[in-house]
Amino acid sequence: MTEASILFLRACLALLAMPIYILSFLGIWEPFCKKIFFPFFLEKLSAVHEKKAKKQKQELFRNLPDFRSPSGELKLLEIGTGCGANFQFYPPGCKVTCTDINPNFQQGLARSMNKNQHVHYERFLIAAGEDLHQVPSGSVDAVICTLVLCSVHDVNGTLKEVLRVLRPGGAFYFLEHVAADHSSWKYFWQQICYPTWKLVFDGCCLTREIWKNLEQANFSELNLQHTSVALPWTPIEPHIMGYAVK
């Protein structure tokens, strides 16, 4: 009965979003989404998420300075920088390399950079999380990834690249929305929204159990907690946050 209900409600949601499905079939939606809709939407969502998750982010990034290299420098690599919502939490003087697979965030990113001039911005790379070949192995002290692992093509491949670019003793910081408890109504609604949400929001997957990928990756230490970000009426309230050490 539950599976039938999910399929029926998925079909209802798809009917409501039919214009987007048609545009997708015609090959129009994806370029429009990447160039105009998603950068606009992400900047607005980032502003809301920033307010709701501010305390969690402050707690998450509190010990970033502990991972400075022996020279005293702190080199950060951010995967999926988007509009730069994390810059305000970075320690003064740190050096940041920004990466994103979508080059269309430049306006929002420039605004964040202007607001956060305590950070030194080294370069912006157009790169997928699974392929950071432009970044030398063992060259960064910390890798940051927030609300990105939901939409990469290969979570395990991305974590392998994270481990490659980190120096020994470096840290990977994450804050990601994840699948809800399977017995909950939240998970039921995540399953209903999944196909349409993924189409509308540029490949974002609602039901990934990313904590399992992190547990299976070759980190020497994993500090992970399940939390909730107050985003009512959305299917992305359940989150995980923490850091893992190479």
Side-chain angles (χ1 to χ4, degrees), residues 81-82 97-100 102-103 106 109 113 122-126:
T81 306
T97 295
C98 305
T99 75
D100 207 291
N102 188 339
Q106 300 294 341
L109 191 58
M113 286 175 167
E122 293 210 294
R123 55 181 176 157
F124 178 83
L125 303 175
I126 298 171

Side-chain angles (χ1 to χ4, degrees), residues 141-163:
D141 302 302
V143 177
I144 317 292
C145 189
T146 61
L147 302 184
V148 172
L149 294 179
C150 58
S151 55
V152 297
H153 292 300
D154 181 359
V155 176
N156 292 332
T158 300
L159 294 178
K160 281 181 183 175
E161 278 290 80
V162 168
L163 281 160

Side-chain angles (χ1 to χ4, degrees), residues 47-147:
V48 175
H49 193 272
E50 195 176 295
K51 289 177 186 173
K52 302 292 186 182
K54 188 167 186 176
K55 286 183 180 177
Q56 280 115 322
K57 284 193 176 183
Q58 285 171 335
E59 180 190 340
L60 174 63
F61 295 124
R62 190 177 60 233
N63 69 341
L64 248 181
D66 294 349
F67 291 96
R68 291 183 189 278
S69 66
S71 67
E73 274 192 331
L74 181 62
K75 290 188 175 182
L76 308 182
L77 171 74
E78 182 162 358
I79 297 175
T81 306
C83 300
N86 294 323
F87 294 160
Q88 62 181 299
F89 302 102
Y90 295 163
C94 68
K95 297 180 177 180
V96 181
T97 295
C98 305
T99 75
D100 207 291
I101 197 170
N102 188 339
N104 297 302
F105 293 114
Q106 300 294 341
Q107 286 184 331
L109 191 58
R111 281 192 285 271
S112 289
M113 286 175 167
N114 288 333
K115 281 186 203 170
N116 296 282
Q117 296 192 6
H118 65 287
V119 174
H120 176 71
Y121 303 101
E122 293 210 294
R123 55 181 176 157
F124 178 83
L125 303 175
I126 298 171
E130 304 92 334
D131 182 10
L132 300 170
H133 70 272
Q134 295 152 284
V135 183
S137 299
S139 63
V140 297
D141 302 302
V143 177
I144 317 292
C145 189
T146 61
L147 302 184

Side-chain angles (χ1 to χ4, degrees), residues 178-246:
V178 293
D181 183 278
H182 285 208
S183 62
S184 68
W185 278 104
K186 284 179 184 175
Y187 185 68
F188 177 74
W189 288 109
Q190 282 179 336
Q191 290 181 90
I192 290 163
C193 295
Y194 183 97
T196 299
W197 183 277
K198 187 177 181 182
L199 172 67
V200 173
F201 298 116
D202 200 24
C204 175
C205 298
L206 293 172
T207 56
R208 286 186 174 172
E209 298 176 332
I210 296 167
W211 65 90
K212 292 182 178 178
N213 301 91
L214 285 159
E215 287 165 358
Q216 290 162 11
N218 292 319
F219 290 103
S220 63
E221 179 187 337
L222 176 61
N223 300 275
L224 182 151
Q225 66 183 87
H226 289 259
T227 185
S228 182
V229 174
L231 296 164
W233 308 107
T234 76
I236 58 168
E237 282 191 82
H239 281 59
I240 55 168
M241 60 178 278
Y243 66 96
V245 180
K246 179 174 174 178

